[in-house]
Amino acid sequence: MICAFDLDDTITACPPFFAFLARALRSAGHQVHVLTLRRDREIATSDLARLGVEFDELETLPSTWTADPAAWKAGRCRELKVDVLVDDSLEIAGLVDHRTFVLVPRDPSLGVLTYVDR
């Protein structure tokens, strides 16, 4: 399985969980990619090491990319054939291939539960 995690407001929202999850996935033979809209690879690498998150590949937004950053990340997910994406962006979640299972961390700004079981 190929898994991709966003860095800011995803991994950084709960570093111990993502450190555990990445280790478990990699030890089971799965791939872990970190796809971030950051452009500074060195700082991203340093932050991931400080947070204890292991990964197979880190991809930062290319400095030459001038189009929509969300389109870049969704395109990379398609190219990598990502099976599971964890990202806080609903925009990116809507752009990835329909075969990619997307998990969006809870964000209190998304609204309140409106369903009521009657």
Side-chain angles (χ1 to χ4, degrees):
M1 186 166 46
I2 300 172
C3 300
F5 303 150
D6 174 48
L7 179 52
D8 295 302
D9 298 325
T10 301
I11 290 174
T12 61
C14 192
F17 171 74
F18 283 98
F20 165 78
L21 182 58
R23 248 187 331 275
L25 286 166
R26 293 181 78 230
S27 70
H30 304 291
Q31 292 181 31
V32 173
H33 296 258
V34 176
L35 301 177
T36 179
L37 297 182
R38 292 186 186 190
R39 291 188 191 263
D40 192 318
R41 181 179 179 80
E42 186 176 318
I43 292 174
T45 300
S46 174
D47 285 349
L48 288 163
R50 180 178 49 80
L51 297 171
V53 177
E54 301 172 7
F55 55 90
D56 295 292
E57 296 291 334
L58 166 64
E59 293 195 39
T60 57
L61 182 66
S63 60
T64 57
W65 186 268
T66 57
D68 179 17
W72 170 79
K73 190 182 279 189
R76 288 304 296 142
C77 285
R78 278 189 299 281
E79 291 164 8
L80 294 167
K81 296 184 169 109
V82 169
D83 297 299
V84 178
L85 170 66
V86 184
D87 197 298
D88 66 303
S89 169
L90 291 174
E91 178 184 3
I92 293 167
L95 293 174
V96 298
D97 187 278
H98 71 279
R99 290 170 282 193
T100 299
F101 182 71
V102 181
L103 297 167
V104 178
R106 180 184 66 155
D107 179 346
S109 68
L110 294 177
V112 296
L113 181 65
T114 58
Y115 173 79
V116 178
D117 193 0
R118 295 174 194 240

